[in-house]
């Protein structure tokens, strides 16, 4: 009976938190397709640096193969990865650094957990996450960020409106390349290698021990062999849904 009661309690807790939780949006982002005029097509590679370290397999491959990328960095990551930041800053033609928040806290203004990560939980906390991420980038000496992507890439609709008012476009994606860096190398390579004209790819550059990073490199090289052009978000008119770019 004790066990049954405990599980019923657990169930009612789940129900209570679900009813208070905001409906979350995971916006998409596409580039205007290049179409027939443009040859092999173009894609945008976006890489999140949530926290942790730098996957130098990916960073070296981007430099060696001259593949441009938009890197979404947090304040936490910037502080711990000065060497990688220096390499990115040394190649301003390749790397655009954008805002992934100060502390990698989901931009959701109601208290809830997303993939086990506690949300910002209030409008003020969302604003602090966005502005502290921008301040960290400014402190690292680069151009002011124009794009924001929140931790987990999920948002409450009211948080999206606030981030737009703060002056940022919100970077969704159209190809989930590495499944939060948890996929194997083969599946990651397959997903990225299958990107089509106009796609925006998301993957991670902060998990050097994960097999996914090897797949990111393989997938990118496959796209390059097919004649795909890589662009950064500041080079292309990205079109997002859910009010993220308009
Ligand atoms: Zn992240």
């Amino acid at each position: 009976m004790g066990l049954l009661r405990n599980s019923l309690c657990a169930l009612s807790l789940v129900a209570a938190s679900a009813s208070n939780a905001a409906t979350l949006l995971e916006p998409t982002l596409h580039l205007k397709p290049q179409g027939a005029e443009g040859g092999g097509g173009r894609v945008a590679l976006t890489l999140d640096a949530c926290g942790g370290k730098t996957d130098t397999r990916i960073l070296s491959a981007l430099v060696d193969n001259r593949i441009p990328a938009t890197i979404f960095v947090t304040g936490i990551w910037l502080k711990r990865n000065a060497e990688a930041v220096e390499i990115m800053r040394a190649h301003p033609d390749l790397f655009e650094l954008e805002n992934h928040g100060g502390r990698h806290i989901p931009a959701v203004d109601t208290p809830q957990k997303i993939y086990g990560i506690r949300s910002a939980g209030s409008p003020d906390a969302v604003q602090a996450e966005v502005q502290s991420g921008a301040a960290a980038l400014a402190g690292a000496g680069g151009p002011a960020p124009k794009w924001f992507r929140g931790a987990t890439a999920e948002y409450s609709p009211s948080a999206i409106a606030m981030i737009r008012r703060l002056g940022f476009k919100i970077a969704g994606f159209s190809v989930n390349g590495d499944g939060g860096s948890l996929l194997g190398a083969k599946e990651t390579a397959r997903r990225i290698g299958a990107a089509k004209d106009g796609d925006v790819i998301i993957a991670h550059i902060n998990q050097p021990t994960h097999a996914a990073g090897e797949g990111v490199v393989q997938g990118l090289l496959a796209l390059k062999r097919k004649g795909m052009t890589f662009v950064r978000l500041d080079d292309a008119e990205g079109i997002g849904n859910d009010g993220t770019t308009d």
Side-chain angles (χ1 to χ4, degrees), residues 55 57-58 61 178 181 183-185 188 192 204-205 207-220:
D55 190 332
R57 297 169 296 185
I58 299 175
D178 66 353
S181 184
L183 292 174
T188 301
I192 293 177
H204 289 76
I205 193 167
Q207 299 286 4
T209 63
H210 289 196
E214 187 192 322
V216 170
V217 173
Q218 289 169 3
L220 293 174

Side-chain angles (χ1 to χ4, degrees), residues 167-190:
F168 295 94
K169 291 185 179 185
I170 294 168
F173 57 89
S174 64
V175 172
N176 186 342
D178 66 353
S181 184
L182 298 174
L183 292 174
K186 203 170 162 190
E187 174 63 6
T188 301
R190 188 194 68 72

Side-chain angles (χ1 to χ4, degrees), residues 48-51 72 74 100 104 117 149-153 202 204 206:
D48 290 0
C50 311
F72 282 90
T74 65
H100 195 34
H104 206 248
I117 306 180
R149 174 181 288 151
T152 76
I202 185 175
H204 289 76
N206 66 317

